[in-house]
mmCIF file of all heavy atoms in Angstrom:
data_model
loop_
_atom_site.group_PDB
_atom_site.id
_atom_site.type_symbol
_atom_site.label_atom_id
_atom_site.label_comp_id
_atom_site.label_asym_id
_atom_site.label_seq_id
_atom_site.Cartn_x
_atom_site.Cartn_y
_atom_site.Cartn_z
ATOM 1 N N ARG G 290 174.419 105.647 89.987
ATOM 2 C CA ARG G 290 175.557 105.799 90.825
ATOM 3 C C ARG G 290 176.012 107.227 90.972
ATOM 4 O O ARG G 290 177.192 107.568 91.560
ATOM 5 C CB ARG G 290 176.847 104.925 90.272
ATOM 6 C CG ARG G 290 176.441 103.456 90.386
ATOM 7 C CD ARG G 290 177.702 102.667 90.415
ATOM 8 N NE ARG G 290 177.555 101.406 91.171
ATOM 9 C CZ ARG G 290 177.712 101.380 92.502
ATOM 10 N NH1 ARG G 290 177.695 102.412 93.266
ATOM 11 N NH2 ARG G 290 177.368 100.226 93.130
ATOM 12 N N GLY G 291 175.272 108.123 90.488
ATOM 13 C CA GLY G 291 175.542 109.621 90.573
ATOM 14 C C GLY G 291 176.654 110.150 89.845
ATOM 15 O O GLY G 291 177.308 111.160 90.209
ATOM 16 N N ILE G 292 176.936 109.520 88.665
ATOM 17 C CA ILE G 292 177.984 110.027 87.812
ATOM 18 C C ILE G 292 177.399 110.687 86.596
ATOM 19 O O ILE G 292 176.433 110.290 85.918
ATOM 20 C CB ILE G 292 178.844 108.849 87.257
ATOM 21 C CG1 ILE G 292 179.546 108.193 88.447
ATOM 22 C CG2 ILE G 292 179.845 109.322 86.244
ATOM 23 C CD1 ILE G 292 180.265 106.959 88.174
ATOM 24 N N SER G 293 177.732 111.986 86.276
ATOM 25 C CA SER G 293 177.087 112.717 85.189
ATOM 26 C C SER G 293 177.551 112.109 83.924
ATOM 27 O O SER G 293 178.667 111.749 83.642
ATOM 28 C CB SER G 293 177.781 114.221 85.202
ATOM 29 O OG SER G 293 177.370 114.912 84.105
ATOM 30 N N LEU G 294 176.539 112.122 83.028
ATOM 31 C CA LEU G 294 176.717 111.512 81.678
ATOM 32 C C LEU G 294 177.654 112.460 80.832
ATOM 33 O O LEU G 294 178.164 112.077 79.851
ATOM 34 C CB LEU G 294 175.407 111.345 80.931
ATOM 35 C CG LEU G 294 174.533 110.168 81.513
ATOM 36 C CD1 LEU G 294 173.265 110.062 80.750
ATOM 37 C CD2 LEU G 294 175.338 108.957 81.638
ATOM 38 N N LYS G 295 177.916 113.765 81.363
ATOM 39 C CA LYS G 295 178.740 114.610 80.541
ATOM 40 C C LYS G 295 180.235 114.070 80.635
ATOM 41 O O LYS G 295 181.063 114.554 79.823
ATOM 42 C CB LYS G 295 178.697 116.015 81.181
ATOM 43 C CG LYS G 295 177.326 116.652 80.767
ATOM 44 C CD LYS G 295 177.300 118.075 81.518
ATOM 45 C CE LYS G 295 175.970 118.624 81.213
ATOM 46 N NZ LYS G 295 175.854 119.908 81.765
ATOM 47 N N ALA G 296 180.491 113.286 81.685
ATOM 48 C CA ALA G 296 181.838 112.659 81.863
ATOM 49 C C ALA G 296 182.221 111.627 80.844
ATOM 50 O O ALA G 296 183.186 111.122 80.656
ATOM 51 C CB ALA G 296 182.135 112.251 83.317
ATOM 52 N N LEU G 297 181.015 111.038 80.297
ATOM 53 C CA LEU G 297 181.321 109.843 79.341
ATOM 54 C C LEU G 297 181.230 110.254 78.010
ATOM 55 O O LEU G 297 180.287 111.007 77.450
ATOM 56 C CB LEU G 297 179.994 108.856 79.665
ATOM 57 C CG LEU G 297 180.044 107.540 78.804
ATOM 58 C CD1 LEU G 297 181.151 106.674 79.377
ATOM 59 C CD2 LEU G 297 178.674 106.803 78.722
ATOM 60 N N ASP G 298 182.356 110.049 77.208
ATOM 61 C CA ASP G 298 182.430 110.455 75.795
ATOM 62 C C ASP G 298 182.288 109.087 74.992
ATOM 63 O O ASP G 298 183.337 108.465 74.855
ATOM 64 C CB ASP G 298 183.800 110.982 75.619
ATOM 65 C CG ASP G 298 183.943 111.496 74.211
ATOM 66 O OD1 ASP G 298 183.052 111.736 73.486
ATOM 67 O OD2 ASP G 298 185.170 111.777 73.774
ATOM 68 N N ALA G 299 181.128 108.906 74.567
ATOM 69 C CA ALA G 299 180.892 107.581 73.802
ATOM 70 C C ALA G 299 180.861 108.008 72.252
ATOM 71 O O ALA G 299 180.305 108.904 71.827
ATOM 72 C CB ALA G 299 179.511 107.092 74.080
ATOM 73 N N GLY G 300 181.659 107.122 71.430
ATOM 74 C CA GLY G 300 181.634 107.373 70.063
ATOM 75 C C GLY G 300 180.467 106.761 69.362
ATOM 76 O O GLY G 300 179.685 106.261 69.987
ATOM 77 N N GLU G 301 180.496 106.790 67.977
ATOM 78 C CA GLU G 301 179.362 106.182 67.348
ATOM 79 C C GLU G 301 179.701 104.732 67.054
ATOM 80 O O GLU G 301 180.827 104.257 67.027
ATOM 81 C CB GLU G 301 179.387 106.857 65.881
ATOM 82 C CG GLU G 301 178.851 108.308 65.957
ATOM 83 C CD GLU G 301 177.501 108.455 66.455
ATOM 84 O OE1 GLU G 301 176.578 107.680 65.996
ATOM 85 O OE2 GLU G 301 177.217 109.159 67.377
ATOM 86 N N PRO G 302 178.610 103.938 66.797
ATOM 87 C CA PRO G 302 178.820 102.468 66.589
ATOM 88 C C PRO G 302 179.560 102.357 65.243
ATOM 89 O O PRO G 302 179.364 102.900 64.279
ATOM 90 C CB PRO G 302 177.288 101.979 66.343
ATOM 91 C CG PRO G 302 176.502 103.040 67.040
ATOM 92 C CD PRO G 302 177.259 104.291 66.924
ATOM 93 N N GLN G 303 180.581 101.473 65.349
ATOM 94 C CA GLN G 303 181.404 101.096 64.118
ATOM 95 C C GLN G 303 181.366 99.722 63.824
ATOM 96 O O GLN G 303 181.223 98.754 64.769
ATOM 97 C CB GLN G 303 182.894 101.427 64.548
ATOM 98 C CG GLN G 303 183.126 102.753 64.805
ATOM 99 C CD GLN G 303 184.457 102.971 65.545
ATOM 100 O OE1 GLN G 303 185.157 102.058 66.090
ATOM 101 N NE2 GLN G 303 184.938 104.270 65.339
ATOM 102 N N LEU G 304 181.307 99.335 62.565
ATOM 103 C CA LEU G 304 181.089 97.954 62.188
ATOM 104 C C LEU G 304 182.551 97.377 62.136
ATOM 105 O O LEU G 304 183.463 98.034 61.344
ATOM 106 C CB LEU G 304 180.534 97.874 60.734
ATOM 107 C CG LEU G 304 180.248 96.485 60.232
ATOM 108 C CD1 LEU G 304 179.388 95.580 61.209
ATOM 109 C CD2 LEU G 304 179.480 96.437 58.917
ATOM 110 N N SER G 305 182.824 96.366 62.779
ATOM 111 C CA SER G 305 184.209 95.668 62.760
ATOM 112 C C SER G 305 183.934 94.273 62.465
ATOM 113 O O SER G 305 183.490 93.378 63.364
ATOM 114 C CB SER G 305 184.822 95.900 64.098
ATOM 115 O OG SER G 305 186.042 95.243 64.161
ATOM 116 N N GLY G 306 184.162 93.709 61.210
ATOM 117 C CA GLY G 306 183.786 92.376 60.923
ATOM 118 C C GLY G 306 182.267 92.281 60.858
ATOM 119 O O GLY G 306 181.607 92.996 60.168
ATOM 120 N N LYS G 307 181.814 91.312 61.736
ATOM 121 C CA LYS G 307 180.312 91.071 61.886
ATOM 122 C C LYS G 307 179.829 91.719 63.158
ATOM 123 O O LYS G 307 178.741 91.699 63.424
ATOM 124 C CB LYS G 307 180.158 89.622 61.911
ATOM 125 C CG LYS G 307 180.259 88.915 60.634
ATOM 126 C CD LYS G 307 179.972 87.484 60.601
ATOM 127 C CE LYS G 307 180.150 86.754 59.413
ATOM 128 N NZ LYS G 307 179.698 85.341 59.424
ATOM 129 N N GLU G 308 180.670 92.346 64.014
ATOM 130 C CA GLU G 308 180.366 92.972 65.164
ATOM 131 C C GLU G 308 180.300 94.471 65.153
ATOM 132 O O GLU G 308 181.045 95.110 64.360
ATOM 133 C CB GLU G 308 181.453 92.622 66.259
ATOM 134 C CG GLU G 308 181.534 91.188 66.532
ATOM 135 C CD GLU G 308 180.680 90.817 67.773
ATOM 136 O OE1 GLU G 308 180.890 91.398 68.902
ATOM 137 O OE2 GLU G 308 179.889 89.954 67.386
ATOM 138 N N TYR G 309 179.307 95.145 65.826
ATOM 139 C CA TYR G 309 179.316 96.516 66.049
ATOM 140 C C TYR G 309 179.953 96.763 67.317
ATOM 141 O O TYR G 309 179.631 96.215 68.210
ATOM 142 C CB TYR G 309 177.695 96.989 66.011
ATOM 143 C CG TYR G 309 177.227 97.171 64.602
ATOM 144 C CD1 TYR G 309 176.643 96.137 63.972
ATOM 145 C CD2 TYR G 309 177.357 98.403 63.883
ATOM 146 C CE1 TYR G 309 176.060 96.210 62.702
ATOM 147 C CE2 TYR G 309 176.905 98.524 62.574
ATOM 148 C CZ TYR G 309 176.277 97.452 62.031
ATOM 149 O OH TYR G 309 175.752 97.661 60.764
ATOM 150 N N LYS G 310 180.681 97.887 67.366
ATOM 151 C CA LYS G 310 181.397 98.251 68.525
ATOM 152 C C LYS G 310 181.318 99.738 68.916
ATOM 153 O O LYS G 310 181.270 100.591 67.947
ATOM 154 C CB LYS G 310 182.999 98.009 68.435
ATOM 155 C CG LYS G 310 183.421 96.527 68.138
ATOM 156 C CD LYS G 310 184.848 96.298 68.092
ATOM 157 C CE LYS G 310 185.189 94.895 67.967
ATOM 158 N NZ LYS G 310 186.598 94.691 67.970
ATOM 159 N N ILE G 311 181.212 100.135 70.148
ATOM 160 C CA ILE G 311 181.217 101.551 70.542
ATOM 161 C C ILE G 311 182.377 101.575 71.567
ATOM 162 O O ILE G 311 182.397 100.868 72.582
ATOM 163 C CB ILE G 311 179.860 101.949 71.243
ATOM 164 C CG1 ILE G 311 178.726 101.952 70.196
ATOM 165 C CG2 ILE G 311 180.086 103.325 71.855
ATOM 166 C CD1 ILE G 311 177.456 102.419 70.852
ATOM 167 N N PHE G 312 183.189 102.579 71.333
ATOM 168 C CA PHE G 312 184.335 102.835 72.319
ATOM 169 C C PHE G 312 183.890 104.095 73.072
ATOM 170 O O PHE G 312 183.453 105.106 72.417
ATOM 171 C CB PHE G 312 185.730 103.101 71.683
ATOM 172 C CG PHE G 312 186.182 101.911 71.171
ATOM 173 C CD1 PHE G 312 186.279 101.491 69.802
ATOM 174 C CD2 PHE G 312 187.121 101.014 72.032
ATOM 175 C CE1 PHE G 312 187.032 100.473 69.423
ATOM 176 C CE2 PHE G 312 187.613 99.993 71.728
ATOM 177 C CZ PHE G 312 187.543 99.571 70.328
#
Side-chain angles (χ1 to χ4, degrees):
R290 295 206 147 279
I292 297 170
S293 171
L294 292 183
K295 292 178 181 178
L297 183 70
D298 182 24
E301 288 300 309
Q303 302 166 334
L304 184 60
S305 171
K307 292 183 178 178
E308 296 266 302
Y309 280 89
K310 296 180 180 186
I311 294 180
F312 284 99

